[in-house]
Amino acid sequence: MMKKMNKLNKAIVICVECSQQYPSDSLYIDKILKHIYLLNETKINYIYLAGKGNYNSNKTIKKINKHLSNKKIITKIIYCLDTDNFKTSPEDAKLNKEIELFCISNNYELVWFCRDIEEVLINKRVSDSQKPKEAQKFQKANNNINSELISKLKHENINIKKSNFLNKFDKELIRK
């Protein structure tokens, strides 16, 4: 009797700043991924950091290691984080550099949204209390992923209202 082969051979684990209770970042990212890429044989998982500063907490590392423990599936770790006020806040700039070095040393990819995911995707900054509502509106809209937005998602250098999202995910996924 032949064993049924599992077609799933790749997983991407995306670490996002938001909490699992209010998964605004993952709503945005999920919509973009499903619109642009073929995901048939790739499983997308999220790790909710509940704050960018938790990028290397014991809890986060345990969750990442759990995903990496399945040797039958190729797993890539991608951090998707906001740059925040890196030009005016030395604390933000320092944390961003620490995260960048952490990702490099662990062979993880780092996707940045300058200054935040909302500013890149919906052209405005949003208060924390409005983030879930705005993410749900984005997810439900039909024509918000257009050529203008796509061009904002393929930048090498950090600029306001820009991201390197496509540069990183193009390495891992096939576009439709």
Side-chain angles (χ1 to χ4, degrees):
M1 187 167 165
M2 279 183 66
K3 259 182 153 180
K4 187 177 177 185
M5 290 292 288
N6 183 356
K7 283 200 150 225
L8 183 68
N9 61 2
K10 187 173 190 176
I12 296 177
V13 176
I14 303 170
C15 298
V16 291
E17 286 185 50
C18 62
S19 68
Q20 192 164 4
Q21 184 181 5
Y22 300 107
S24 54
D25 295 351
S26 58
L27 292 177
Y28 288 115
I29 292 166
D30 218 45
K31 176 159 185 188
I32 295 167
L33 291 175
K34 288 176 180 171
H35 183 84
I36 295 176
Y37 296 105
L38 297 169
L39 300 175
N40 305 2
E41 297 180 17
T42 303
K43 180 162 178 54
I44 304 295
N45 296 296
Y46 289 93
I47 293 177
Y48 298 93
L49 302 176
K52 187 163 104 172
N54 295 323
Y55 74 96
N56 66 347
S57 71
N58 287 337
K59 187 176 178 181
T60 300
I61 300 304
K62 282 180 186 176
K63 288 178 182 178
I64 288 172
N65 288 337
K66 184 178 177 189
H67 285 286
L68 293 173
S69 67
N70 184 348
K71 300 298 180 195
K72 294 178 184 173
I73 297 176
I74 300 165
T75 302
K76 187 66 180 182
I77 308 299
I78 301 178
Y79 275 73
C80 289
L81 305 173
D82 299 337
T83 63
D84 297 319
N85 296 309
F86 71 100
K87 286 188 177 183
T88 58
S89 167
E91 295 84 15
D92 288 350
K94 181 178 184 256
L95 179 57
N96 290 344
K97 191 63 177 170
E98 289 171 6
I99 293 169
E100 180 183 0
L101 294 172
F102 171 80
C103 288
I104 290 168
S105 69
N106 287 287
N107 199 28
Y108 302 157
E109 293 291 343
L110 176 60
V111 169
W112 46 262
F113 293 94
C114 185
R115 290 175 288 197
D116 60 43
I117 194 167
E118 292 84 9
E119 192 170 17
V120 173
L121 301 179
I122 61 173
N123 291 312
K124 63 181 179 180
R125 302 204 75 191
V126 177
S127 68
D128 287 346
S129 64
Q130 290 296 325
K131 287 180 184 253
K133 179 181 158 193
E134 291 294 338
Q136 289 171 345
K137 278 177 29 182
F138 181 86
Q139 192 177 47
K140 290 177 183 171
N142 289 325
N143 59 351
N144 51 2
I145 301 177
N146 53 36
S147 59
E148 179 186 339
L149 178 60
I150 288 171
S151 72
K152 292 168 67 174
L153 297 175
K154 51 183 174 183
H155 284 263
E156 290 292 330
N157 299 317
I158 297 175
N159 285 306
I160 291 176
K161 295 188 179 183
K162 307 287 189 240
S163 175
N164 65 342
F165 185 93
L166 295 177
N167 303 0
K168 300 300 180 173
F169 280 96
D170 280 353
K171 293 178 185 178
E172 305 303 326
L173 299 169
I174 298 168
R175 290 199 193 193
K176 289 182 179 177

